[in-house]
Amino acid sequence: MPTPVTTLSGRAAVRNTLYNFLYNPPVTNLNQVFTSFPKRINFQVNSQPGQLSRSAVIIYIQSETESRLAIGGAHSGWKRIDYSIILQVYQHSLEPNSEAAMVAFDTLIDAIKERLRSDHNFGDTSGTLVWQGAEPIINATYGEPATVSEGATETFAELQFDVTQMIQA
């Protein structure tokens, strides 16, 4: 679990806010959320007995842009910071056939997108850490499923969207 953020804005605050939004309450069929790419993903972590499809999401900040808005005169204004976020979604499925693994993957992706759509502030009631997220668009890119040597089906996706912070500057 990430360390609480002490600053009121910035990359770490965006990452932590998104982590908390995705992790609590848990997204259906999402077992792990990482704020940085782990050295290794252990798909056993947080899995439930009998759960055949297990997944992990990594929160990756690809880029950011910052612009100033002169609101309130020469000595008062706001900075708009747009972060390009990529949720890297990994699924490891032990389903006996690839069609069932794909249904589980589609269900996971739909659940993540449903969570993103549910609150454009990602749970930040102050609007300070996330003024707007996953608006107006979510782009999805999907990898080709692969069968690994143990017979599991592994599937990958990237969900890309912007998160905007507004800070007094």
Side-chain angles (χ1 to χ4, degrees):
M1 184 167 226
T3 308
V5 177
T6 56
T7 60
L8 293 178
S9 62
R11 293 169 45 91
V14 168
R15 193 178 284 114
N16 190 61
T17 301
L18 187 51
Y19 171 90
N20 290 328
F21 184 64
L22 291 173
Y23 202 71
N24 189 17
V27 172
T28 304
N29 296 328
L30 178 57
N31 302 95
Q32 300 174 77
V33 178
F34 296 98
T35 57
S36 179
F37 200 87
K39 293 185 179 196
R40 184 170 184 259
I41 298 174
N42 179 352
F43 287 100
Q44 301 297 329
V45 173
N46 297 330
S47 65
Q48 301 299 312
Q51 183 181 10
L52 296 178
S53 294
R54 299 147 185 191
S55 63
V57 163
I58 293 112
I59 300 168
Y60 171 57
I61 299 177
Q62 181 187 43
S63 63
E64 66 185 81
T65 57
E66 189 170 314
S67 58
R68 181 167 168 68
L69 304 171
I71 300 172
H75 303 290
S76 179
W78 290 86
K79 285 278 191 171
R80 175 184 173 141
I81 306 167
D82 292 304
Y83 299 91
S84 179
I85 307 292
I86 297 177
L87 296 183
Q88 299 172 325
V89 183
Y90 296 89
Q91 180 181 276
H92 179 86
S93 181
L94 301 171
E95 291 284 355
N97 62 59
S98 59
E99 289 83 5
M102 186 53 71
V103 168
F105 184 71
D106 289 344
T107 301
L108 171 66
I109 296 297
D110 289 344
I112 293 170
K113 290 195 302 187
E114 183 177 318
R115 176 64 59 85
L116 293 173
R117 292 182 200 119
S118 71
D119 180 355
H120 73 270
N121 296 117
F122 295 160
D124 175 30
T125 56
S126 72
T128 304
L129 304 175
V130 174
W131 181 70
Q132 174 176 282
E135 298 282 341
I137 191 168
I138 300 171
N139 287 316
T141 304
Y142 302 102
E144 185 175 342
T147 303
V148 295
S149 58
E150 307 88 47
T153 303
E154 294 195 338
T155 315
F156 170 77
E158 289 184 342
L159 300 177
Q160 185 171 3
F161 52 89
D162 287 339
V163 169
T164 301
Q165 277 184 342
M166 297 293 287
I167 60 172
Q168 195 91 48

